[in-house]
Amino acid sequence: DQQVKQNSPSLSVQEGRISILNCDYTNSMFDYFLWYKKYPAEGPTFLISISSIKDKNEDGRFTVFLNKSAKHLSLHIVPSQPGDSAVYFCAASFQGAQKLVFGQGTRLTINP
Amino acid sequence: KAGVTQTPRYLIKTRGQQVTLSCSPISGHRSVSWYQQTPGQGLQFLFEYFSETQRNKGNFPGRFSGRQFSNSRSEMNVSTLELGDSALYLCASSLVGGMEVEAFFGQGTRLTVV
């Protein structure tokens, strides 16, 4: 039972354009969501998070949107840069538990 | 501030052996979690330790165990290794408090079971 799903295994975007990565979840108990970026042979790097009491959170080029009714979140990267090429994971948690449930990841490729 | 440190980075073991992996969290972080990453199952939560006590546990067999020391350093142990245990094992540390659960990961230990 996959509670967090990233349905797009890969995404290719031109440099300078917007990258939009999507994530769906099934467990309505989740109340905190995070995005991580991962390069091969390295651990995931925390990017941005959002609490379920908000619908948007911004940090520089990264914005996360949360639609609770649709159980959907998305990560927008504007503008996309070559260094953004990596695998992106969304993750969810509830009640402050240090137990993250991860999606399967989306491989983002930024083309020059 | 130093990040999460995991040792060793790479390990090759034979089926049936046991292995111990080590994790030093970010200074001041008291929660340490372990995850397993495989191509087929993705990133899966193993367990979490806080103040030397296991607080959360994932759906892994009892062959997977861990502990945390008084300085927050943690170890995980896998006994009777199976080929399917080959994976990247990631440790993450967190500050504890409120809803924020941002976990900061180490570079991982790549375990290969032959």
Side-chain angles (χ1 to χ4, degrees):
Chain A
D1 175 30
Q2 197 169 349
Q3 299 183 70
V4 178
K5 299 179 184 179
Q6 293 176 257
N7 292 318
S8 298
S10 63
L11 176 67
S12 186
V13 174
Q14 195 167 4
E15 182 180 357
R17 306 294 290 267
I18 183 171
S19 294
I20 300 176
L21 297 106
N22 294 303
C23 179
D24 297 296
Y25 61 96
T26 57
N27 190 339
S28 57
M29 298 292 290
F30 288 140
D31 56 17
Y32 205 76
F33 304 89
L34 308 91
W35 283 94
Y36 284 85
K37 172 181 176 179
K38 188 178 185 299
Y39 294 117
E42 292 186 12
T45 301
F46 170 72
L47 280 174
I48 192 169
S49 59
I50 187 167
S51 158
S52 61
I53 62 174
K54 297 183 178 180
D55 54 19
K56 178 182 174 181
N57 189 26
E58 279 182 271
D59 185 1
R61 296 186 299 114
F62 302 93
T63 303
V64 56
F65 295 92
L66 175 62
N67 182 333
K68 282 200 305 181
S69 61
K71 294 191 179 70
H72 176 84
L73 64 154
S74 61
L75 174 68
H76 293 208
I77 306 173
V78 183
S80 300
Q81 300 173 352
D84 296 331
S85 295
V87 178
Y88 289 77
F89 291 93
C90 67
S93 176
F94 62 89
Q95 294 183 342
Q98 302 290 334
K99 174 181 177 179
L100 300 179
V101 179
F102 282 87
Q104 293 292 91
T106 296
R107 180 176 302 280
L108 175 65
T109 303
I110 306 301
N111 302 307
Chain B
K1 192 182 244 189
V4 177
T5 304
Q6 290 188 246
T7 56
R9 289 292 311 278
Y10 303 92
L11 210 46
I12 300 175
K13 288 287 188 178
T14 303
R15 193 171 44 181
Q17 287 186 315
Q18 74 163 9
V19 67
T20 299
L21 312 181
S22 180
C23 173
S24 293
I26 292 171
S27 177
H29 287 194
R30 295 169 60 194
S31 169
V32 175
S33 303
W34 289 88
Y35 292 81
Q36 181 197 63
Q37 185 182 23
T38 58
Q41 299 298 319
L43 272 157
Q44 292 191 294
F45 173 80
L46 280 156
F47 29 66
E48 183 235 350
Y49 286 86
F50 175 76
S51 291
E52 302 177 63
T53 301
Q54 186 181 90
R55 285 203 304 187
N56 289 289
K57 190 176 189 305
N59 296 324
F60 279 83
R63 300 185 297 106
F64 292 82
S65 63
R67 60 177 176 168
Q68 187 181 34
F69 302 94
S70 58
N71 61 359
S72 294
R73 192 177 70 84
S74 176
E75 289 181 347
M76 73 162 273
N77 184 274
V78 188
S79 62
T80 319
L81 284 165
E82 300 177 359
L83 297 179
D85 297 333
S86 294
L88 180 66
Y89 289 89
L90 292 158
C91 167
S93 74
S94 310
L95 280 171
V96 178
M99 284 176 62
E100 293 78 16
V101 293
E102 284 84 357
F104 297 88
F105 286 82
Q107 292 193 299
T109 294
R110 170 71 64 184
L111 171 66
T112 303
V113 182
V114 297

